[in-house]
Structures are given as C-alpha cells and as structure tokens.
Amino acid sequence: KTVIRQAWLAGERVCLIGHSLGSVIAYDALWELSREDGDTRRIELFVTLGSPLATRFIRRSLRGAERKGAERYPSNIVRWANFAAKGETIALKPMRGFFAPMQELGLVESISDETELYNHYRGDRGLNVHESYGYLIHPHVAGCIGDWIEAVSTERALDAAPAASSS
C-alpha cells in the first residue's frame, strides 16, 4: 500500500501487476486502500497473471468477503485484465464470472479474461506454464501493459507540449 500511495502522491498513474498469490495480496491491498483507508484515487490498470483470485477458497478469504454489495469489492480499479495460461493449476477459473458485480455496480469499467494463452517458459526443470516470465513476454500480456504505457506517455507528451511552446 505504501508504494501505491507514494506513486499517487507523486502524481503518477498506476498499473499494478500481480502474479499468483501476489495478485491476491494486491487485491486485498486495493480493498484496504479504498474501503478501510477511504482513499478515492484509482489504479488505472490491474493486471493479474496466473491468479487464484476466482477459486472458492481464495474468494472466501479475501478482504471484504463477508460484506454485501459494493462494500464487498475494492472501488479503486479502472480496468482489470486477467491472464491465465492453458494448463495452469493455480488460475483455474476466469475472473469475470465471479467479479462481474464490480462492473455492474460501477466499481470498474471493464474486466477482461484471457484464459487460453500459451506460456512456453522453460526453466531448469522443464516447462512451467505458471512462471511469471512466460506471462510477461507473451504478446497479449506485453501488449496490454505496453498499450497502457504508450497511452500514459502520449498523454504526458501532449500535456507537456503547450508548456514547452509557451516558454
């Protein structure tokens, strides 16, 4: 939470990436920031990779799980992109089915699931479809994150252009 707050205080726009259990920690931190701390700033892009968030055991343990309606979910995510590789044993279910109420309640603009991608990462022990490196180099994941970075960079350049020309 501290790093996210520091980025916001510096005026930075934030893309938060969580892999595996890290996505659960990130989700809980976002819930705490918005629901317990009352922070109204938002994460522009939440990317989950090989995430167990949609599994029953994890869903029941999430921050806010005992609450009803909008209070059950974080309110500080603009867009959520979830990626799960074929053969994953951690990310067993798509997010949209379980977290669709977030969109219906207006808490998030979109939730996308891409669950048919191939993660070809090979380490010393052979193929590992859950490895974060394999996700991050996949064209769809890299494209999603790269598109966000490009949009932020373009907007910064446009914001800076009038200031540069007026000096």
Side-chain angles (χ1 to χ4, degrees):
K1 293 187 327 184
T2 301
V3 173
I4 294 169
R5 276 198 196 104
Q6 288 172 341
W8 282 335
L9 286 171
E12 295 295 329
R13 296 165 65 184
V14 178
C15 167
L16 181 61
I17 303 169
H19 172 255
S20 196
L21 189 55
S23 67
V24 177
I25 295 166
Y27 179 94
D28 279 346
L30 293 173
W31 188 90
E32 289 174 8
L33 282 165
S34 65
R35 298 300 177 190
E36 287 182 347
D37 302 349
D39 201 317
T40 58
R41 293 170 287 194
R42 301 181 83 193
I43 297 292
E44 290 187 11
L45 177 60
F46 182 37
V47 178
T48 49
L49 310 171
S51 174
L53 274 165
T55 61
R56 185 179 182 148
F57 176 78
I58 296 293
R59 282 194 333 268
R60 290 188 316 209
S61 304
L62 290 174
R63 304 286 285 136
E66 73 291 346
R67 303 227 181 144
K68 302 289 181 208
E71 289 294 314
R72 183 179 189 105
Y73 307 102
S75 61
N76 52 3
I77 301 168
V78 175
R79 188 167 60 103
W80 184 350
N82 177 58
F83 297 92
K86 283 182 165 270
E88 260 287 2
T89 59
I90 303 298
L92 301 173
K93 300 178 186 249
M95 296 297 161
R96 191 153 171 53
F98 297 102
F99 294 96
M102 289 178 69
Q103 196 167 359
E104 295 161 8
L105 293 163
L107 301 175
V108 63
E109 289 177 13
S110 66
I111 300 172
S112 63
D113 277 308
E114 188 162 343
T115 58
E116 296 293 315
L117 59 85
Y118 288 95
N119 183 340
H120 296 290
Y121 179 81
R122 282 196 177 278
D124 294 341
R125 297 181 181 171
L127 184 65
N128 181 350
V129 301
H130 185 65
E131 181 57 55
S132 61
Y133 305 127
Y135 277 110
L136 291 169
I137 65 168
H138 191 282
H140 295 181
V141 176
C144 175
I145 297 166
D147 289 348
W148 179 82
I149 292 170
E150 185 175 4
V152 169
S153 297
T154 300
E155 288 177 28
R156 280 188 182 152
L158 291 173
D159 289 345
S165 64
S166 64
S167 53

